[in-house]
Amino acid sequence: LVKTFDFPYADAVGLETPQVKSIRDYVHFLDDRLTRNPAKELNYVFVSVQPDDEMLGFTCLPPVLLEGRIQILHSQFCLGGLLMGSPLHYHIHAANSLLHGRKLWLLTPPARKEFRKTRVFDDLVQSGGLPGAHRLVQEAGDLLYVPAGWNHAAMCL
């Protein structure tokens, strides 16, 4: 079973009670929501992973490109569909790999720290697309490095 949220850690800050589903039911939900209004159903899977996790432990290994160069302090696994993602936030250095699909990233320099507690799609609509943010599209197989302190948001395409 997995928990789904509108944005990462929504339950930890008291803004949302997660929906709990099997992976199979969640994948069916992803398919079915495209026949409705996908912008109204943005719950996605965001899981903190431990190295001994039988199914997702592979996410705790560095990409070959970074083997021996970095120490993994924390690993996360996300699963989502069109328009789902994480709002503008910042933290320590991060290496983000994408297994499937495409993802829009928006990045802003660390001069102004932001940590939003909203859905990224709603942020983009309300702000007119986060003017001034650097944008890039990550494709399956790409590795994206985000330096410490840089604000970033990501949305599945």
Side-chain angles (χ1 to χ4, degrees):
L1 295 178
V2 293
K3 294 178 183 178
T4 67
F5 304 91
D6 277 353
F7 65 91
Y9 306 114
D11 61 334
V13 293
L15 295 177
E16 181 182 2
T17 301
Q19 297 178 17
V20 179
K21 302 177 183 207
S22 70
I23 292 281
R24 175 177 287 162
D25 288 344
Y26 182 71
V27 170
H28 287 304
F29 159 76
L30 290 176
D31 288 337
D32 292 345
R33 72 185 269 278
L34 295 177
T35 64
R36 299 184 294 273
N37 183 351
K40 300 289 182 192
E41 302 176 79
L42 297 174
N43 284 58
Y44 80 123
V45 174
F46 178 86
V47 179
S48 290
V49 181
Q50 300 301 316
D52 61 352
D53 185 298
E54 201 170 296
M55 297 293 287
L56 298 174
F58 71 92
T59 66
C60 296
L61 300 172
V64 173
L65 178 67
L66 299 176
E67 278 181 359
R69 297 179 181 189
I70 64 168
Q71 176 186 8
I72 301 220
L73 301 176
H74 186 73
S75 183
Q76 300 162 334
F77 179 82
C78 302
L79 175 63
L82 181 67
L83 307 179
M84 296 175 176
S86 58
L88 206 59
H89 66 285
Y90 65 93
H91 45 67
I92 63 172
H93 301 280
N96 298 276
S97 55
L98 186 64
L99 297 177
H100 178 79
R102 301 173 71 217
K103 198 178 266 194
L104 171 66
W105 286 86
L106 301 115
L107 299 106
T108 63
R112 192 175 87 219
K113 303 280 189 219
E114 294 202 47
F115 203 97
R116 298 192 181 174
K117 298 175 185 165
T118 55
R119 299 185 310 185
V120 65
F121 175 77
D122 295 339
D123 268 355
L124 290 172
V125 170
Q126 291 169 6
S127 70
L130 287 177
H134 300 281
R135 292 166 172 69
L136 67 97
V137 173
Q138 183 182 26
E139 305 281 346
D142 288 351
L143 177 67
L144 173 68
Y145 170 75
V146 179
W150 274 69
N151 303 297
H152 55 284
M155 185 176 73
C156 300
L157 300 176

